[in-house]
Amino acid sequence: MDFKQQLEKYVNIINEYLDRCVTEKELPEKNLYSAMRYSLMAGGKRLRPVLALAVCDMLGGDLEEVLPFACAVEMIHTYSLIHDDLPAMDNDDFRRGRPTNHKVYGEALAILAGDGLLNLAFETMLESIIKSGANEKKARAAAIIAKASGANGMISGQVIDLESEGKQVDTEILNRMHRLKTGALIKAPVVAAGVLCGACEEDIKRLDEFSEYLGLAFQIKDDILDVEGNTEKLGKKVGSDADNNKSTYVTIYGLQKSKEILSDVTNKAVHCLEKFEKNADFLRSLAVYLLEREN
Ligand code: GRG
């Protein structure tokens, strides 16, 4: 199976699982489920859960055991996008090629849909832990994901982002912001999948370093796409960083230097996978695919 076919296979597995997690019920609160589904099933690259499944295959693990955790990360990611788009945050009108959640359902329901997805993520992981009889590896994986998405991770990154608006921040703050806001939720599925599959501590460290570089590369590319991307392909507005007066890799280093850093960081990510030899082929291709992505 080539890279594109394997990627499609992973995305289909993820979409089928997510589709079963949120169903619209004929209940007085059915609009809540509709708002949750609206954003969760709106497409998206599914990068975070794909990473978890790819690490699982690389380590010879059981995809069924990793899937609830992989999809929990996607639920958390989707909640963060819904909240990030709100008028109180980035105030965006388009996401994943459609009007943002609050544009369709109103602000109050969008906030609650985000809350619903966040809690569903933890419900999904906890049910999997309970089903396996208080499995220690699963508990550790859930803790990694909880830490990455909370005040020790993504939420702090978002706070730095909000408080940096309109200021020229230095590279130390910019890197901290990226590491927390974007990097943490890219690292979590990689490391959590390693833990779930029983990887040794040295391999967990390799996965940690790989995903650290990959998360940074992903964010640099995001900064570049916000300047020279295409609104239709991206499914969201281009130039939103400039509109919100944000410091990015492009505003600090310029477009050309940012591209050089992106290429260097991607090479470093790929280098971290050497030990896994042929089994890491998909993840290597994924790193290059992300470097070249247009959305
Ligand atoms: C509201 C707590 C809270 C956090 C928001 C994720 C985030 C933090 C903000 C999103 C804003 C943004 C553009 C961040 C940069 C990188 C990023 C997370 C892009 C969106 O992720 P993709 O490209 O999106 O994986 P898809 O739609 O493909 O899943």
Side-chain angles (χ1 to χ4, degrees):
M1 214 183 289
D2 72 11
F3 169 73
K4 280 278 169 68
Q5 286 170 327
Q6 185 65 40
L7 181 62
E8 200 183 314
K9 186 185 143 198
Y10 285 142
V11 170
N12 287 339
I13 294 173
I14 291 156
N15 285 343
E16 274 169 29
Y17 188 92
L18 290 172
D19 189 45
R20 279 184 272 125
C21 287
V22 188
T23 49
E24 267 177 63
K25 304 170 187 102
E26 273 311 314
L27 293 168
E29 66 277 21
K30 78 170 184 189
N31 279 347
L32 170 66
Y33 295 102
S34 163
M36 286 163 72
R37 271 189 75 85
Y38 177 79
S39 293
L40 190 65
M41 303 312 292
K45 293 180 288 300
R46 308 303 196 202
L47 165 66
R48 294 149 191 84
V50 163
L51 279 167
L53 300 190
V55 168
C56 175
D57 271 343
M58 181 179 81
L59 298 172
D62 181 352
L63 285 186
E64 288 300 316
E65 295 298 318
V66 173
L67 197 52
F69 295 81
C71 289
V73 177
E74 185 66 18
M75 291 172 197
I76 295 169
H77 169 59
T78 306
Y79 118 76
S80 82
L81 298 180
I82 296 174
H83 283 193
D84 185 64
D85 291 334
L86 287 168
M89 301 231 193
D90 275 4
N91 194 18
D92 276 316
D93 295 346
F94 281 94
R95 170 74 66 182
R96 291 179 164 172
R98 3 167 121 180
T100 43
N101 201 291
H102 66 272
K103 285 275 160 193
V104 178
Y105 293 94
E107 270 183 62
L109 203 55
I111 292 170
L112 294 167
D115 294 342
L117 287 169
L118 174 61
N119 284 283
L120 184 63
F122 287 93
E123 186 182 322
T124 304
M125 290 190 286
L126 285 164
E127 274 177 359
S128 170
I129 295 169
I130 293 165
K131 221 169 88 187
S132 332
N135 180 299
E136 202 253 324
K137 281 185 214 148
K138 289 191 173 183
R140 199 176 147 202
I144 289 167
I145 293 166
K147 189 170 175 189
S149 52
N152 281 306
M154 182 178 70
I155 293 180
S156 284
Q158 181 74 350
V159 169
I160 299 174
D161 190 357
L162 289 175
E163 293 183 352
S164 304
E165 267 176 33
K167 295 182 203 152
Q168 183 71 22
V169 302
D170 61 27
T171 51
E172 199 182 319
I173 296 186
L174 181 75
N175 282 327
R176 180 172 177 78
M177 179 178 88
H178 285 350
R179 188 159 49 76
L180 292 168
K181 191 180 89 166
T182 313
L185 217 57
I186 288 180
K187 182 180 283 197
V190 172
V191 176
V195 168
L196 288 167
C197 297
C200 63
E201 286 309 316
E202 291 85 51
D203 283 352
I204 298 283
K205 194 160 173 288
R206 286 184 183 98
L207 291 172
D208 188 283
E209 276 174 28
F210 159 70
S211 52
E212 176 90 25
Y213 286 125
L214 193 77
L216 181 58
F218 184 81
Q219 181 60 59
I220 299 171
K221 181 72 184 188
D222 202 74
D223 290 353
I224 293 171
L225 284 173
D226 195 63
V227 174
E228 58 172 29
N230 172 299
T231 298
E232 223 168 278
K233 285 185 181 155
L234 279 175
K236 62 177 183 180
K237 203 169 127 266
V238 173
S240 143
D241 292 336
D243 289 352
N244 291 314
N245 263 315
K246 296 207 175 180
S247 292
T248 69
Y249 258 74
V250 179
T251 61
I252 291 185
Y253 293 100
L255 207 46
Q256 189 49 40
K257 181 76 185 154
S258 297
K259 287 181 183 173
E260 284 164 28
I261 300 173
L262 169 61
S263 162
D264 177 55
V265 173
T266 303
N267 285 337
K268 284 182 171 143
V270 168
H271 183 73
C272 295
L273 298 171
E274 248 169 26
K275 187 250 166 177
F276 301 104
E277 299 178 353
K278 242 187 102 39
N279 290 341
D281 278 354
F282 177 84
L283 282 173
R284 273 186 213 102
S285 300
L286 184 62
V288 175
Y289 171 78
L290 292 177
L291 168 84
E292 291 166 356
R293 73 193 168 99
E294 292 183 335
N295 75 341

